[in-house]
Amino acid sequence: MTATADRKASEDSPAAPTPIPLAAVVTSPGPWGTALRQIRRNRSAMASLVVFFLILVVCLLAPFYASSIAHTDPFASNVAGTTVIGGQTVPVLAPSTTGLGLGVTPIGPTWDLTHYFLGSDGQGRDVMARLLYGGRNSLLIGFSAALLCCLLAGIIGVLAGYFGGVVDGVLSRLLDVVWAFPVYLLAISLSVVLLTSGVRIGPISIGAGSLWLPVLIIGIVYVPYVARPIRGQVMALKEKEFVAAAIGVGSSDLRIMRRDVVPNVAPTVVVFLPLMTALSMLTESALSFLSVGVQPPQASWGTIINDGLDLLYTRPAVTLAPGIAIALTAVVLNLFGDGVREALDPRARLRGAG
Amino acid sequence: MVRFALARFGAAVFVLVSISVLVFLIFFATPGVDPAARIAGRNADQATLAQVQAEFGLDQPLPVRYALMMKHLFVDRDLTSFVNRGVLVIPQIVHAVPVTLSLVLGAAVLWMVVGVAMGTLAAAWRGRAADPLIVLVGVVGVSIPVYWLGEVVNLVTQSRLHDSVFSWVPPLGYVPLTQNPAQWALRLLFPWLTLAVLYAGIYARVLRSEMMGALDEDYVRTARAKGVSERRILIKHALRCSLIPIVSLFGLDFGALVGGSALLTEVVFGLPGVGRLTYTALQNLDLPVILGTVLYAAFFVVLSNALVDLVYAALDPRVRHV
């Protein structure tokens, strides 16, 4: 916008002293602009982004769907409730007809958006409404954990790479330990201790059932995956002439990090963000499936799969729907992430074309 | 090589000690959490709490408590569950190890063979229709939750098609190799396939891009100029060099599998391995069992990673000088 406006201005006024080089400078889009153009041309990345936003919007409409379309409370059990299928009133949980006739079988998918579209779970709750609410939580946790992880990793990576020596030694050993610790086991240990009592670090207090607990846990366990490459990149940057020049001019460490180092590692962090969001979301779902992630009555895609475990052979929709939602979201995030990487990392682009 | 091996194992020992300290801090020194109540399980009575207090020296300073925990775990190996009264934890873990190893090793063989074959074919056929397909399979592989795929497999083989196509599939569970090798393999077949399908795609994708790079190298051009056949170049020259990073990736994934996807797969397929033990303990909040499985599994992962690094250094001498 500004580029075209400037060019027009220079054309209109022939008195401008050096119109051509000025226009050339102004129209240069810079690294971010080039990347943006690159990714706009990447059809699979753009299609993925569209699908992702569709998923996001549908999940954000969860409260509207539950209150105005399905007229149901997805967090209250509805064991004795009834619903209407084809004009007939039927119980949500019918007595079981298989085996010994003990227990109950929830109704299956009605494919009617106003009544139990995907059927009910073992407690008579509308699976479709829970799927949307669960998606909200899964996406929120996935994105927040990825953001926290990239932020922590960026800080640790830049500090370790820039200062080297003792700072690097301590931080790198710390990363080594977390890296070597199997992710799920670390997350399980943290969850099992924290989930029943919550955590209090100084003024920040996170309650036991809070969604921020899985965010915190997943954000921490993946820090080494991002911090290690950033540290390496910062170490390489420190050898560059412009950093040497900045040191020679007498710039403070803080200024060099802010002006010279951070802008150069920012693309790496941005590349990691969609990929880490997918990974965090998958981890969240696995932890919730193991019952150490999102706590009831809250839902996430992982907890719904866990709810469907006992109903797998009778009502598979409870398990299938959230799994398809997770896989689809992760695929589009990964495809978009690959597009971002190709756009921001010229070396990856060369490799991909090779 | 000897110096590298010593340095690598020195690092591994450091990481082992640090992990045990980290686990200790998580379980015994988390602010605002009463460790005795945690370990004794839900609604424990006063006597049990006192017993836990004494056994883990909870009134003593932190280093003493750490030493006591390690003594119970590795020296006396007398860590007991308070949820299932008096059940020793370590023998349970030792008993479950062969199940986990059977699962993980079988899946690893499958995914390495399939992944390397797919990656090599993709590199050989670059530019053709099969190539982007393999790339897509790799993306889907990292995106499908493994436990969910296992449930879908169960749904198909145990329920929906069990009366027709899959009538030969045995019920879920585990039969020891020493007892009946055929049943052992048959019962593990679908768990192996579930784990391997996802990893094979990732490996094919990595191998493909490595081989693309290798095929652009000078030594491949030299081989072509000498008149070496294209198939020989692909397998003897490009594949051999490209396998080195695959070995390193394998080391990382093998470890991650033991402490991650294998746990979920065991739960879904009802295999009584270390992962399922951890899962059952999680359901009962049986902390001594979780403490035991987490530390033993973490130690196994660290040691296997160190071993893989040694194999890597033996294959690629350049690594030794880092």
Side-chain angles (χ1 to χ4, degrees):
Chain A
M1 258 279 291
T2 41
T4 33
D6 282 354
R7 198 184 294 151
K8 209 174 232 168
S10 63
E11 279 165 8
D12 288 346
S13 53
T18 48
I20 297 156
L22 188 72
V25 168
V26 172
T27 49
S28 166
W32 293 103
T34 317
L36 200 66
R37 252 182 233 179
Q38 182 85 20
I39 200 156
R40 278 212 196 116
R41 280 205 300 268
N42 186 336
R43 245 182 289 160
S44 85
M46 288 327 281
S48 303
L49 195 62
V50 169
V51 175
F52 178 73
F53 271 110
L54 281 178
I55 297 172
L56 187 68
V57 167
V58 169
C59 288
L60 286 179
L61 289 175
F64 173 74
Y65 175 80
S67 64
S68 304
I69 299 178
H71 302 289
T72 173
D73 179 357
F75 300 111
S77 63
N78 187 17
V79 182
T82 57
T83 188
V84 183
I85 302 175
Q88 278 184 307
T89 304
V90 290
V92 173
L93 300 179
S96 180
T97 50
T98 54
L100 294 170
L102 301 170
V104 287
T105 308
I107 57 167
T110 59
W111 308 120
D112 170 7
L113 273 173
T114 54
H115 306 280
Y116 290 95
F117 182 72
L118 288 171
S120 136
D121 66 8
Q123 293 185 46
R125 299 174 297 195
D126 187 323
V127 173
M128 185 64 193
R130 281 183 71 77
L131 187 72
L132 298 185
Y133 269 103
R136 251 178 22 154
N137 285 342
S138 284
L139 292 172
L140 175 72
I141 292 175
F143 185 70
S144 313
L147 207 62
L148 177 72
C149 171
C150 286
L151 196 71
L152 286 177
I155 293 170
I156 292 176
V158 167
L159 288 180
Y162 185 80
F163 287 110
V166 182
V167 178
D168 181 34
V170 172
L171 289 175
S172 288
R173 290 295 87 74
L174 206 66
L175 291 181
D176 278 349
V177 173
V178 178
W179 171 274
F181 205 144
V183 167
Y184 287 98
L185 294 181
L186 180 54
I188 286 173
S189 314
L190 284 170
S191 310
V192 77
V193 172
L194 296 181
L195 277 179
T196 39
S197 57
V199 65
R200 186 169 299 127
I201 310 162
I204 309 158
S205 157
I206 302 176
S210 166
L211 287 181
W212 297 107
L213 215 49
V215 169
L216 189 70
I217 290 166
I218 298 166
I220 288 173
V221 292
Y222 284 122
V223 162
Y225 289 69
V226 186
R228 283 182 155 200
I230 290 177
R231 168 180 167 270
Q233 214 183 348
V234 173
M235 283 169 76
L237 277 174
K238 257 199 94 177
E239 306 299 316
K240 289 277 164 65
E241 287 82 0
F242 61 86
V243 175
I247 296 172
V249 175
S251 300
S252 68
D253 286 333
L254 199 68
R255 187 188 157 85
I256 296 174
M257 277 193 273
R258 194 163 52 86
R259 297 294 298 267
D260 300 316
V261 176
V262 171
N264 276 299
V265 294
T268 312
V269 179
V270 171
V271 165
F272 269 111
L273 203 55
L275 303 173
M276 291 312 291
T277 305
L279 192 60
S280 305
M281 196 193 69
L282 285 167
T283 310
E284 178 277 320
S285 82
L287 290 179
S288 296
F289 174 73
L290 294 172
S291 72
V292 286
V294 172
Q295 295 301 303
Q298 292 272 16
S300 87
W301 285 335
T303 63
I304 302 172
I305 296 182
N306 192 14
D307 291 339
L309 204 55
D310 298 328
L311 302 167
L312 182 62
Y313 298 148
T314 49
R315 293 288 175 241
V318 185
T319 301
L320 292 178
I324 292 168
I326 293 171
L328 184 66
T329 312
V331 165
V332 296
L333 278 170
N334 278 318
L335 285 177
F336 179 68
D338 282 351
V340 174
R341 179 167 53 198
E342 273 171 37
L344 279 171
D345 180 1
R347 275 184 311 135
R349 206 183 310 154
L350 282 179
R351 274 200 302 273
Chain B
M1 186 67 200
V2 175
R3 246 191 68 198
F4 176 83
L6 286 177
R8 187 62 190 80
F9 268 101
V13 168
F14 167 79
V15 170
L16 289 180
V17 173
S18 310
I19 284 184
S20 68
V21 172
L22 184 60
V23 170
F24 166 75
L25 291 177
I26 291 174
F27 277 84
F28 291 92
T30 304
V33 175
D34 174 18
R38 283 289 94 74
I39 289 168
R42 282 197 194 100
N43 312 322
D45 54 45
Q46 219 50 48
T48 316
L49 286 179
Q51 195 189 340
V52 174
Q53 199 91 15
E55 210 164 286
F56 290 93
L58 293 180
D59 45 358
Q60 309 210 31
L62 281 178
V64 178
R65 288 197 228 168
Y66 171 75
L68 269 175
M69 178 191 86
M70 294 305 273
K71 184 163 160 283
H72 283 305
L73 266 167
F74 293 102
V75 182
D76 299 341
R77 291 188 292 267
D78 62 348
L79 195 65
T80 47
S81 163
F82 290 96
V83 176
N84 299 311
R85 284 242 159 228
V87 176
L88 286 173
V89 172
I90 311 298
Q92 266 186 299
I93 297 176
V94 172
H95 196 69
V97 163
V99 185
T100 303
L101 282 183
S102 303
L103 172 68
V104 173
L105 287 174
V109 170
L110 260 179
W111 97 57
M112 277 304 255
V113 171
V114 176
V116 167
M118 271 169 68
T120 313
L121 283 178
W125 292 340
R126 78 210 103 121
R128 288 199 233 166
D131 183 16
L133 203 67
I134 286 175
V135 174
L136 191 68
V137 168
V139 173
V140 173
V142 290
S143 304
I144 293 185
V146 64
Y147 58 92
W148 180 75
L149 184 67
E151 285 200 32
V152 174
V153 167
N154 275 345
L155 177 66
V156 172
T157 62
Q158 297 287 338
S159 170
R160 290 299 183 262
L161 295 177
H162 191 64
D163 297 328
S164 50
V165 191
F166 292 111
S167 54
W168 50 274
V169 179
L172 299 180
Y174 178 77
V175 175
L177 176 65
T178 46
Q179 194 181 316
N180 185 343
Q183 273 294 315
W184 172 81
L186 204 58
R187 297 217 176 193
L188 282 169
L189 181 65
F190 280 102
W192 282 340
L193 285 173
T194 303
L195 273 181
V197 157
L198 302 182
Y199 281 92
I202 304 168
Y203 276 64
R205 201 178 167 204
V206 173
L207 186 65
R208 170 188 164 274
S209 75
E210 286 292 333
M211 281 184 74
M212 297 289 197
L215 285 171
D216 286 339
E217 293 280 343
D218 290 341
Y219 61 80
V220 169
R221 199 177 50 201
T222 310
R224 281 212 182 100
K226 277 198 318 189
V228 179
S229 76
E230 199 62 24
R231 171 183 295 188
R232 201 181 154 83
I233 287 175
L234 201 67
I235 292 169
K236 282 272 176 179
H237 297 253
L239 179 60
R240 260 180 123 173
C241 264
S242 311
L243 277 180
I244 296 173
I246 294 286
V247 170
S248 150
L249 188 64
F250 180 77
L252 283 175
D253 281 339
F254 188 77
L257 201 61
V258 170
S261 304
L263 188 154
L264 296 159
T265 313
E266 283 173 16
V267 171
V268 171
F269 286 102
L271 300 168
V274 181
R276 207 180 137 79
L277 189 65
T278 315
Y279 176 75
T280 333
L282 265 180
Q283 305 302 306
N284 306 328
L285 279 185
D286 193 349
L287 250 67
V289 176
I290 300 174
L291 184 66
T293 53
V294 165
L295 263 186
Y296 269 78
F299 276 26
F300 175 80
V301 170
V302 171
L303 287 176
S304 70
N305 280 350
L307 209 64
V308 167
D309 276 1
L310 287 186
V311 174
Y312 192 42
L315 283 176
D316 186 353
R318 284 172 295 182
V319 183
R320 292 176 213 164
H321 301 291
V322 177

